[in-house]
């Protein structure tokens, strides 16, 4: 109560003052305008940039002052308020462009086609839509134009390589997995580093809450938006402080389709494609594998006779076991294969002067490259624009998406990941049961004598499904109180539910061991729900005085109430493999779990913008932010009504230098803008209840009691980000060459950290705001129209980004383990999350060499064992002659030096050829898959490189010997498995043939598409693919745990316009 | 005109915003989201059920200390040894060479329970002040958790010596958890003073009452166990603290309270009528009764009647005799012996750690009896002349050719074949305290308090025999013998057993620890105080091996006598007999008391 009164009073005073001033200015200005108006005009010529021909009916205007159209010779004459005014040109089929007169009285303007990627394009900012030139912020606008060619791409995947400053890393090759998006690198270790996504004015929750019962499955919220439904995506890299503690990582503002014209327009498209299975990893065939196994068993202490007695070593065909172990199976071929995709899409737009609508329907299926995986997707959207009265308008955006995804386990689930099993399964085994005389049964073989599951049984009989839907709807009302004053409100609702079902059969899959039972079949059900309510209500004031001074003021409040819930059931040992629902498991072994997280967020904001003569842009933004996640005694911010509120102001300034008179002579200079911004932002991703004292359940036998679970931190607060950005935009030769450069320096103070507590507290750590980090870098982009002819146009673009995160304050160094890798983060320049492992220096070739090195390994029981010939020669960093964790060093950095993209678009007559190349340079990757396939410690099949293993004294090799159980840690996490993850990839190439037909025809146009995805990749990486992102955590970067790899695909389609 | 409209419009707009602001903020709790998967301040400690839940929680957490407790108290001492399977951390504990990162030398788990205790203690006080619980309810619960905390601190003192942080604040906020003022460092002596003062002042020292008018939610049946013996015995703790401190009379006083159970709240449920023969139930409780020779329904070492000279007739099963106390259910006989036991149940966390530690089938077999321990049992002589102590047979066995500590495995192994009933079902119990330990400690206190004969009686052959000038003669008037009634409390025992006039003193069945174990009396030679004390120390090893008392007994007596060699030699004997080359060096090291203590991380 008191909170709102204070805030609103504050707001009232500020605005009332403004309103009075304006009153005075208003009258004075109109007189002045009259006086100057008659005196001045300017005339000029508008022509087509490609052909040089004059353009008719192009709208020419001075905002809020005058307007005109070009005549049939392309000439125009327009009144201007002053000789330094800015004139805006626009026309159907052409770009919007502005030019500052700089004292000129006769101007010639060349306009590019509408799809030209221009610096004058509209950007959609929280404070309202603007031309890209009219702001001091670092923003990019992407007009997706429907992204028709890349139909299987998710919205996040589509954004990869599209904007300087926005980095996307594909999570995996699984359909729908999408890309991990990040604006300008890391700002935090433990909170979210992904940008805020706003769709049609409301916050769109992209979190994947709770856990999945399916190995390494990610529920991607951005896959719920069909990119063909998107009109514009604006990437806001700084100046997001009005979003308060949700704006720390920038904002991606997505606007979906709306009808532009009243005439009914129908687009219908059909696509079909093929996904190509990746090239198999080169694993051993039976002959090599037998030799390997024999070496391995020797190291286990078995005699030659014992080894020869093994059923798989016996070469006597009359041996009853012979046929079972003398096959030649390429297991990777058994689980990976080419697959198909189809896609249908229908879009209808139209309406009348009261109501316009845009309706879309989509259906698609995309079968993954892993056998028996399939994604089926349905989506529908209905967007409307209503003119309810002359003052009241409304817009609705409703979308509903549903998908049904059949998937397999991925990553570190060695018993159930078919890909891993296919790599490691003994090649001499058969997919099916084989009898004593070699007859192959139609039944799939069970788990083998080595305890390894049958990958084909996993493919065929193990069942993982994720069925998810999301309803996301917003309704916005806008009431024009006067010509300058607007009152608006947006209500957004998200309902999201993902249901997972899992069944692991007993036949063909290795058992799990529970604390008190053996789990043969495993069953699970999981439901994850998100329900969010969002509202933003604002008052907006917009007024131009004297054609020079433009004020825009927006103030309002945002409120979000978020609930996410998970309910999970895990069962075991259903009666037979035909019982696959979780309820059929044994009662006593059933486990239930779940979580409920609720949070509320209130954000009061003020955004004040001032523009002087279209060339100076000043803005002040601030937010006062409260959240249920903050502790009561936050150190920063203010207290309102007993709650802690963050206060986050920012300022920005832009200067269109090119609009100044002194540059009137610079003929080839279209635009030069300098920008700077500085401000604060915050991150509220602290966990819903972290500040609170927790009493958790503790059992004593079957009675439940309560114990304290943490040390509460009432001082817990948002992470405070400081954002500094300077940038320049430069456009030359009538926009033929455009550059943008931004340097930024981000700081995060009060960074969330795990702080070690004294031993005698009884707790290991508490979560506190005791860290800090710095993140600096630059974004650079250049776009060039290399060839500009009527029939032949060629655009080339380059995006280059570099970020460097440095930890400046931590309560203590962080050593983390993730997916088999150790990661170190320190304030002394290592990290964030650098690989931290042993350094190796080849393999001891002789015992003498090993003895000379005099190195030891301590076994778990404390005995020191000397390294011998064939063992890896690790570097004894601390010089104590014992190789252990204390010898770990920084052995690689998963963060790239540079990332970026190259784009090329060639148009020739009705053909368009689009290329998108993405690259990453200087990042290291831990190849966890290769580690498993070169560890030489068990019966798992190995890579062909293992043939080069050490076998005899004096042999010089880099591959250590095969030893059962690897007691010497030859396959420990070390630089042996750290590889260069740099790559250059032809991400997409699209050929489009657009056949325009007569507008009077029923069919107005037909477009043909052919797209190739990921057709070429240049990398030294030895795994399937160097690009993946297995989890949202900072610590997951560059750790290859064996997800489904990115694959090549080809899609063809046709689009018909009615 | 226009100005008016702007003003009006502005006013309308502003009012809408104000209205909305009010709408949202009028509900004060808008930013107050309560968690639903755990509770937070304000949702706990509201009534007696919450208070009971807090106590259950503390004990649930306390069970997590079982493994570390046993490793520290036995492996550091002389009776337990590592096997080839043990990891380097256990080896370090075994030979007193702990290095950084050794999880057994990390006091954090102990402090984790202490923190929970502190939280409960603080909040119980608040509940009492707010009238949320009655005074009696408060007294029982506060004393229980206070005593448990003192017991844990005593353990910390025994193992970490002069580096213990005596934390009594619940450390509710991060600021208080980082405040060094909340972590006063105390020496072991200071710690003992604090513990004695705090624990002596606890308002309630009996066990939780049963069936009284006030809430007894804590004493109940759960998953096959009764919770009566789940909670710490405060008399025993008070006795121990005072024994450590050298307040012998006071210590004896507290121990005696246990030895007079009916007077002191040890309601042994007699409803089953199992042991009502001759009304002796009453006499047997907590009194270390002699064997029930006819049917072996007892907890003593016994043989089949009239076959005492046949080694094969040794009573060796899960329902009769000495062994059965580790195997039997919570019947009356069990209740007479056990003071503090927490059971492990396969259906609930935590998992029983002892199977993994000790068993060589279904477990990892990490620890085994030392040669020294075996020699101790083998050097005893039974009253029937057999040259061993049968308690050793029941404590460890050779299974599959390996010596295995079986005391903890009787619920896990089949009673006769001694193979696992089901390797994935690992029931067991954490044995924390029993009456034999109380008798030995009482005797230790009495011995130091000048009652050497009484001490020797409780150790060797019982009061009746010891205070009888002509034992074995029948038909006498026993009015003036077989008792110590001339002594003041707590040393006044009535063990008279005669017919004319008829006497059945409360203690007439007391047979002494060794009497019950059927071994011949320990010889008392030289300075009887020291001799008796040494015999008591040795008896603790024989009777209570692997029950978590050995290291503290060695430390206490070495300190009392200011003779580090007692401890150092014990460890030396173990290590040297097991062929550990570091034995001599370890002995030298342990001759300095500072080296008895683990480094406080």
């Amino acid at each position: 109560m008191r909170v709102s009164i204070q805030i609103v009073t504050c707001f009232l005073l500020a605005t009332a003052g403004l309103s009075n001033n304006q009153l005075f200015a208003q009258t004075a200005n109109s007189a002045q305008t009259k006086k100057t108006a008659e005196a001045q005009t300017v005339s000029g010529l508008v022509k087509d940039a490609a052909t040089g021909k004059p353009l008719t009916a192009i709208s020419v205007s001075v905002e809020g002052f005058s307007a005109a159209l070009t005549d049939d010779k392309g000439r125009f004459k327009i009144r201007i308020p002053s000789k330094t005014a800015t004139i805006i040109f626009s026309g159907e089929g052409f770009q919007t462009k502005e030019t500052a007169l700089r004292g000129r009285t006769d101007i010639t303007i060349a306009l590019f086609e509408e799809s030209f990627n221009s610096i004058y394009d509209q950007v959609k900012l929280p404070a309202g839509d603007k031309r890209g030139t009219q702001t001091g912020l670092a923003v990019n606008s992407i007009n997706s134009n429907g992204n028709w060619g890349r139909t299987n791409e998710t919205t996040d995947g589509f954004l990869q390589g599209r904007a300087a400053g926005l980095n996307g890393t594909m999570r995996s090759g699984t359909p729908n997995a999408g890309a991990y998006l990040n604006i300008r690198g890391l700002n935090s270790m433990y909170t979210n580093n992904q940008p805020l996504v706003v769709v049609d004015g409301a916050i769109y929750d992209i979190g994947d809450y709770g856990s999945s019962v399916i190995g390494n499955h990610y529920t991607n919220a951005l896959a719920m938006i069909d990119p063909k439904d998107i009109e514009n995506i604006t990437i806001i890299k700084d100046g997001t402080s009005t979003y308060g503690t949700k704006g720390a990582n920038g904002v991606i503002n997505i606007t979906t389709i709306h009808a532009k014209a009243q005439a009914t327009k129908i687009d219908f498209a059909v696509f079909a494609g093929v996904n190509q299975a990746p090239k198999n990893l080169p694993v051993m065939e039976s002959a090599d594998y037998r030799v390997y196994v024999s070496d391995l068993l020797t190291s286990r202490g078995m005699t030659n006779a014992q080894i020869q007695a093994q059923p798989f070593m016996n070469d006597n065909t009359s041996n009853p076991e012979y046929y079972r172990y003398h096959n030649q199976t390429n297991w990777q071929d058994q689980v990976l294969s080419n697959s198909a995709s189809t896609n249908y899409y229908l879009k209808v737009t139209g309406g009348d002067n009261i109501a316009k609508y845009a309706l879309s329907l989509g259906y698609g299926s995309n079968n993954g490259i892993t056998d028996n995986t399939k994604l089926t997707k349905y989506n529908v959207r209905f967007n409307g624009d209503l003119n309810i009265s002359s003052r009241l308008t409304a817009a609705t955006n409703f979308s509903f998406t549903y998908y049904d995804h059949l998937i397999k386990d991925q990553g570190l689930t060695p018993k159930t990941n078919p890909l891993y099993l296919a790599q490691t399964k003994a090649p001499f085994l058969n997919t099916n049961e084989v009898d004593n005389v070699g007859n192959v049964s139609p039944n799939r073989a069970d788990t083998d004598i080595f305890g390894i599951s049958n990958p084909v049984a996993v493919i065929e009989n193990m069942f993982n499904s994720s069925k998810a839907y999301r309803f996301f709807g917003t309704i916005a009302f806008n009431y024009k109180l006067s010509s300058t004053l607007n009152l608006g409100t947006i209500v957004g609702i998200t309902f999201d539910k993902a249901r997972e079902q899992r069944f692991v059969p007993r036949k063909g899959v290795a058992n799990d061991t529970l604390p008190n039972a053996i789990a043969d079949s495993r069953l699970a059900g999981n439901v994850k729900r998100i329900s969010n309510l969002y509202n933003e209500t604002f008052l907006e004031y917009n007024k131009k005085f004297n054609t020079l001074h433009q004020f825009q003021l927006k103030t309002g409040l945002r409120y979000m109430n978020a609930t996410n819930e998970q309910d999970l059931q895990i069962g075991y040992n259903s009666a037979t493999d035909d019982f696959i629902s979780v309820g059929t498991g044994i009662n006593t072994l059933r486990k239930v779990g779940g979580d409920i997280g609720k949070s509320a967020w209130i954000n009061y904001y003020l955004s004040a913008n001032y523009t002087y003569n279209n060339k100076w842009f000043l803005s002040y933004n601030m937010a006062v932010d409260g959240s249920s996640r903050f502790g009561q005694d936050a150190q920063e911010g203010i207290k309102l009504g007993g709650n802690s509120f963050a206060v986050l102001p920012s300022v920005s300034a832009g200067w269109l230098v090119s609009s100044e008179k002194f540059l009137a002579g610079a003929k080839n200079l279209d635009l030069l803008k300098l920008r700077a911004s500085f401000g604060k932002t915050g991150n509220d991703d602290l966990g819903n209840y972290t500040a609170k004292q927790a009493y958790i359940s503790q059992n004593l036998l079957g009675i439940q009691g309560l114990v304290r679970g943490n040390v509460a931190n009432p001082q817990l607060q948002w992470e405070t980000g400081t954002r500094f950005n300077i940038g320049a935009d430069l456009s030359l030769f009538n926009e033929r060459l455009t550059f943008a450069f931004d340097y930024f320096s981000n700081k995060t103070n009060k960074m969330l950290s795990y702080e070690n507590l004294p031993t005698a507290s009884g707790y290991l750590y508490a979560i506190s705001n005791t860290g800090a980090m710095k993140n600096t870098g630059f974004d650079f982009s250049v776009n060039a129209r290399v060839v500009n002819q009527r029939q032949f146009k060629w655009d080339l673009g380059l995006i280059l980004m570099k970020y460097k995160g440095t930890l400046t304050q931590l309560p203590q160094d962080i050593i983390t383990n993730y997916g088999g890798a150790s990661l170190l983060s320190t304030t002394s320049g290592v990290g964030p999350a650098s690989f931290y492992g042993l350094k190796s220096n080849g393999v001891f070739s002789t015992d003498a060499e090993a003895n000379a090195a005099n190195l030891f390994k301590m076994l778990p029981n404390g005995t020191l064992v000397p390294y011998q010939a064939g063992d890896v020669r690790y570097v004894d960093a601390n010089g104590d002659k014992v190789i252990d964790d204390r010898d770990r060093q920084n052995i690689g950095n998963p963060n790239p030096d540079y990332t970026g993209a190259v784009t090329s678009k060639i148009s020739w007559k009705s053909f368009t050829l689009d290329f998108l190349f993405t690259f990453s340079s200087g990042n290291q990757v831990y190849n966890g898959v290769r580690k498993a396939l070169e560890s030489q410690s068990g019966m798992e099949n190995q890579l062909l490189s293992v043939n080069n293993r050490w076998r005899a004294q004096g042999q010089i090799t880099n591959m250590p010997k095969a030893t059962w159980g690897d007691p010497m840690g030859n396959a420990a996490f070390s630089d042996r498995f750290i590889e260069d993850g740099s790559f250059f990839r032809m991400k997409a190439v699209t050929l489009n043939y657009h056949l325009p037909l007569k507008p009077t025809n029923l069919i107005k146009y037909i477009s043909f598409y052919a797209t190739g995805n990921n057709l070429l990749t240049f990398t030294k990486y030895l795994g399937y693919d160097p690009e993946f992102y297995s989890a949202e955590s900072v610590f997951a970067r560059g750790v290859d745990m064996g997800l489904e790899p990115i694959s090549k695909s080809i899609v063809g389609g046709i689009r018909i316009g009615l | 005109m226009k100005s008016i409209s702007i003003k009006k419009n502005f006013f309308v707009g502003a009012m809408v915003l104000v209205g909305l602001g009010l709408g949202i903020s009028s509900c004060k709790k808008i930013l107050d989201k309560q968690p639903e998967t755990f509770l937070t301040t304000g949702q706990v400690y509201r009534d007696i059920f919450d208070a009971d839940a807090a106590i259950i929680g503390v004990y649930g957490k306390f069970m997590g200390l079982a493994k570390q407790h046993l490793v520290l108290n036995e492996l550091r001492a002389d009776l337990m040894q590592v096997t080839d399977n043990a990891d380097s951390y256990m080896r370090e504990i075994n030979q007193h060479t702990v290095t950084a990162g050794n999880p057994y030398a990390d006091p954090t788990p102990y402090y984790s329970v202490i923190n929970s205790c502190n939280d409960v203690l603080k909040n119980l006080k608040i509940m009492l002040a707010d009238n949320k619980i009655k005074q009696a309810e408060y007294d029982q619960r506060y004393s229980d958790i206070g005593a448990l905390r003192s017991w844990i601190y005593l353990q910390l003192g025994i193992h970490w010596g002069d580096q213990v942080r005596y934390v009594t604040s619940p450390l509710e906020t991060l600021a208080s958890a980082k405040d060094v003022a909340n972590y006063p460092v105390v020496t072991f002596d200071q710690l003992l003073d604090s513990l004695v003062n705090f624990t002596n002042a606890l308002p309630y020292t009996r066990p939780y009452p049963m069936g009284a008018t006030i809430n007894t939610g804590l004493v109940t049946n759960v998953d096959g166990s009764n919770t009566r013996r789940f909670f710490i015995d405060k008399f025993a703790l008070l006795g121990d603290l005072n024994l450590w401190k050298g307040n012998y009379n006071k210590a004896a006083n507290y121990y005696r309270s246990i030895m007079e159970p009916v007077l002191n709240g040890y309601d042994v449920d007699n409803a089953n009528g199992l042991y009502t023969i001759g009304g002796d139930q009453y006499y047997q409780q907590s009194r270390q009764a002699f064997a029930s020779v006819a049917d072996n329904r007892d907890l003593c070492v016994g043989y089949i009647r009239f076959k005492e000279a046949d080694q094969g007739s040794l009573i060796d099963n899960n329902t009769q005799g000495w062994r059965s106390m580790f195997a039997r259910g919570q019947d009356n006989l069990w209740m007479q012996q056990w003071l503090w036991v927490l059971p492990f149940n396969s259906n609930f966390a935590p998992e029983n750690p002892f199977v993994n530690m000790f068993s060589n089938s279904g477990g990892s077999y990490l620890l085994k009896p030392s040669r020294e321990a075996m020699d101790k049992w083998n050097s005893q002589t039974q009253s029937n002349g057999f040259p061993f102590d049968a308690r050793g047979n029941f404590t460890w066995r050779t299974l599959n050719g390996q010596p295995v500590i079986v005391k903890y495995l009787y619920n896990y192994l089949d009673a006769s074949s001694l193979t696992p009933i089901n390797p994935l079902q690992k029931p067991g119990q954490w044995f924390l305290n029993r009456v034999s330990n109380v008798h030995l400690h009482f005797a230790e206190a009495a011995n130091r308090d000048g009652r050497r004969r009484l001490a020797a009686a409780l150790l060797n052959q019982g009061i009746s025999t010891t205070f009888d000038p002509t034992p074995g003669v029948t038909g006498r008037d026993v009015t003036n013998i077989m008792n110590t009634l001339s002594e003041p409390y707590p040393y006044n025992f009535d063990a008279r057993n005669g017919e004319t006039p008829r006497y059945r003193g409360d203690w007439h069945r007391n047979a002494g620890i060794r009497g019950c174990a059927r071994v011949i009396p320990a010889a008392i030679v030289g300075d009887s105080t020291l001799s008796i004390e040494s015999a008591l120390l040795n008896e603790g090893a024989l009777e209570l091996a692997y029950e978590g008392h050995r290291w503290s007994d060695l430390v206490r007596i070495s300190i009392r006598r200011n003779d580090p060699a007692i401890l150092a030699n014990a460890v030396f004997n173990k290590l040297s007999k097991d062929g550990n080359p570091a034995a001599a060096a370890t002995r030298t090291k342990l001759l300095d008391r500072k080296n008895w203590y683990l480094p406080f991380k």
Side-chain angles (χ1 to χ4, degrees), chain A residues 682-824:
Chain A
N683 195 329
D684 71 348
D685 183 32
L686 312 171
N688 288 324
Y689 312 112
T690 314
K692 295 192 192 302
Q693 184 150 297
Y695 284 89
I696 55 174
S697 172
Q698 163 71 57
N699 73 298
L700 176 66
L701 299 184
I703 342 172
Q704 290 299 324
L706 285 169
V707 287
R708 266 266 298 288
N710 69 343
V711 171
N713 182 6
Q715 293 187 328
L716 190 80
Q717 65 160 74
W718 55 95
E719 291 181 344
T720 306
T722 312
R723 300 283 180 266
F724 171 69
N725 186 84
I726 49 170
D729 298 314
L730 175 67
S731 177
L732 300 171
F733 311 112
N734 189 33
E735 283 196 80
R736 289 283 292 272
L737 198 54
T738 307
F739 299 92
F741 178 83
D742 279 284
Y743 166 82
F744 69 89
S745 170
N746 292 350
K747 278 180 188 159
T748 305
N749 292 318
K750 302 280 172 198
M751 187 176 82
L752 204 69
S753 305
Y754 287 80
E755 182 179 6
N756 285 354
L757 290 178
T759 302
S761 69
Y763 295 97
L764 296 177
Y765 60 82
I767 299 175
S768 64
N769 298 93
T770 40
M773 77 181 282
K774 201 171 85 179
N775 173 22
T776 54
F778 67 82
D779 314 324
F780 172 73
S781 67
V782 53
N783 281 296
R785 171 145 290 186
V786 181
V787 176
N788 190 35
Q789 291 172 5
R790 193 170 67 87
Q791 297 281 35
F792 182 49
K793 297 187 178 81
W794 183 18
D795 289 328
L796 257 182
L798 166 74
I799 289 170
L800 189 66
M801 312 174 250
K802 179 179 172 62
Y803 319 115
K804 182 160 174 48
T806 320
L807 293 158
T808 54
Q809 188 193 328
L810 282 176
Q812 65 271 324
D813 289 352
I814 306 169
I815 298 175
T816 327
N817 293 312
Y818 181 85
S822 297
L823 303 140
L824 176 68

Side-chain angles (χ1 to χ4, degrees), chain A residues 491-681:
Chain A
V491 178
I493 289 173
T494 311
F495 286 117
D496 186 300
K497 186 171 179 178
R499 274 196 61 217
E500 293 174 351
Q501 199 189 345
R502 174 180 175 82
F503 171 71
V504 181
R506 50 166 64 75
K507 176 83 190 282
V509 183
N511 291 338
D512 276 344
T513 308
L514 304 176
N516 54 359
I518 298 288
D520 44 25
S521 66
R522 285 141 269 179
L523 317 94
N526 188 19
V527 177
K528 299 196 278 184
R529 293 189 46 189
I530 302 171
S531 50
N532 293 350
L533 173 68
Y534 175 81
N535 175 255
E536 174 178 355
T537 301
F538 58 89
L539 186 63
E540 198 177 18
Y541 169 83
N542 203 334
K543 177 72 186 170
K544 196 162 191 173
F545 302 111
N546 194 14
T547 72
L548 289 176
H549 310 278
Q550 183 166 8
F551 286 99
Q552 192 210 14
L553 196 74
K554 190 172 178 183
T555 182
L557 68 87
R558 300 188 179 104
Y559 167 72
M560 181 145 144
N561 188 28
T563 306
N564 50 68
E565 184 178 340
Q566 176 174 26
D567 298 289
L568 170 76
Q569 270 198 69
I570 298 174
Y572 298 95
N573 302 354
S574 63
T576 74
D577 282 351
D578 297 321
F579 290 96
I580 64 164
S581 79
V582 63
T584 57
I586 290 178
N587 286 339
T588 50
L589 297 178
R590 197 172 302 137
K591 289 180 207 154
V592 291
D595 196 10
I596 295 184
K598 290 182 176 177
S599 68
W601 173 69
I602 297 181
N603 161 273
Y604 299 90
Y605 69 89
L606 171 76
S607 171
N609 295 285
Y610 168 70
T611 305
Y612 172 73
N613 198 16
N614 289 318
K615 64 184 181 190
W616 276 100
F617 316 101
L618 292 175
S619 77
Y620 176 81
N621 291 297
M622 76 172 281
V624 177
D625 239 38
S627 166
S628 59
R629 293 167 173 171
F630 302 159
Q632 304 284 308
D633 306 321
Q635 292 146 287
E636 295 183 338
I638 51 171
K639 298 272 171 309
L640 296 170
N643 289 313
S644 301
F645 279 74
V647 180
L648 304 166
S650 72
V651 288
S652 76
W655 179 27
L656 266 178
V657 186
S658 53
S659 294
E660 297 293 350
K661 257 187 175 169
F662 59 79
L663 282 176
K667 253 183 105 181
N668 289 322
L669 175 71
D670 297 288
L671 177 132
L672 170 63
K673 185 168 74 171
L674 301 179
R675 297 178 272 108
S677 66
F678 179 76
K680 280 187 163 183
T681 171

Side-chain angles (χ1 to χ4, degrees), chain A residues 341-377:
Chain A
S341 71
T342 53
N343 225 298
Y344 301 86
Y345 183 76
L346 172 72
K347 180 168 87 172
V348 184
T349 60
D352 55 27
N353 56 359
I354 300 207
K356 283 190 289 189
Y357 63 88
L359 170 75
S360 78
L361 281 171
Y363 162 79
S365 76
N366 192 1
N367 300 354
I369 47 160
T370 306
D371 290 350
N372 258 351
T373 64
K374 180 175 187 173
L375 171 72
T376 315
K377 209 165 163 178

Side-chain angles (χ1 to χ4, degrees), chain A residues 120-247:
Chain A
Y120 301 109
D121 287 346
Q122 288 256 312
V123 295
K124 303 200 176 259
L125 299 178
D129 298 358
K130 281 193 166 62
R131 279 193 311 285
T133 48
Q134 303 280 306
T135 174
L137 300 175
V139 290
N140 292 76
S141 174
I142 302 161
N143 290 313
S144 75
N145 293 322
N147 177 37
W148 291 85
R150 290 168 62 197
T151 185
N152 285 328
E153 201 68 84
T154 57
T155 297
D156 39 354
F158 166 72
L159 281 170
Q160 195 184 22
R162 289 287 157 182
L166 177 69
N167 198 27
T169 307
M170 298 304 290
R171 290 194 178 88
S172 70
T174 308
N176 252 9
Y180 177 85
L181 296 178
N182 171 264
I183 294 178
R184 293 181 163 176
L186 298 176
N187 291 314
S188 174
M189 294 300 286
Y190 293 104
T191 63
N192 168 20
N193 275 299
Q194 287 218 77
L196 180 71
V197 175
V198 175
V199 176
D200 295 322
I203 291 179
Y204 185 84
D205 198 334
I206 59 166
D208 181 14
Y209 303 101
S211 54
S212 173
V213 293
I214 303 165
N216 282 85
H217 176 60
Y218 178 78
T219 309
N220 182 10
L222 278 172
M224 297 286 201
I225 303 177
D226 189 331
K228 291 191 277 296
D229 281 356
I230 294 177
E231 208 166 74
N232 175 278
I233 301 172
T234 299
I235 315 292
I236 311 168
K237 293 175 277 193
D238 64 348
T240 55
S241 69
T242 63
Y243 277 104
T245 52
K246 290 194 186 290

Side-chain angles (χ1 to χ4, degrees), chain A residues 1 8 15 23 481 537 561 598 692-693 695 699 702 706 708 712 755 759 763 860-861, chain B residues 3 9-10 18 25 33 36 39-40 53 88 91 115 119 171-172 174 178 223 349 601:
Chain A
M1 179 86 176
V8 171
T15 330
L23 209 65
L481 292 164
T537 301
N561 188 28
K598 290 182 176 177
K692 295 192 192 302
Q693 184 150 297
Y695 284 89
N699 73 298
L706 285 169
R708 266 266 298 288
E755 182 179 6
T759 302
Y763 295 97
N861 69 7
Chain B
S3 72
N9 285 329
F10 177 77
V18 171
S25 317
K33 292 280 179 188
E36 292 177 39
L39 299 178
T40 187
S88 58
R91 286 163 199 275
N115 179 270
D119 195 72
L171 309 175
E172 285 171 311
L174 181 56
K178 285 161 77 177
D223 300 303
K601 190 179 62 131

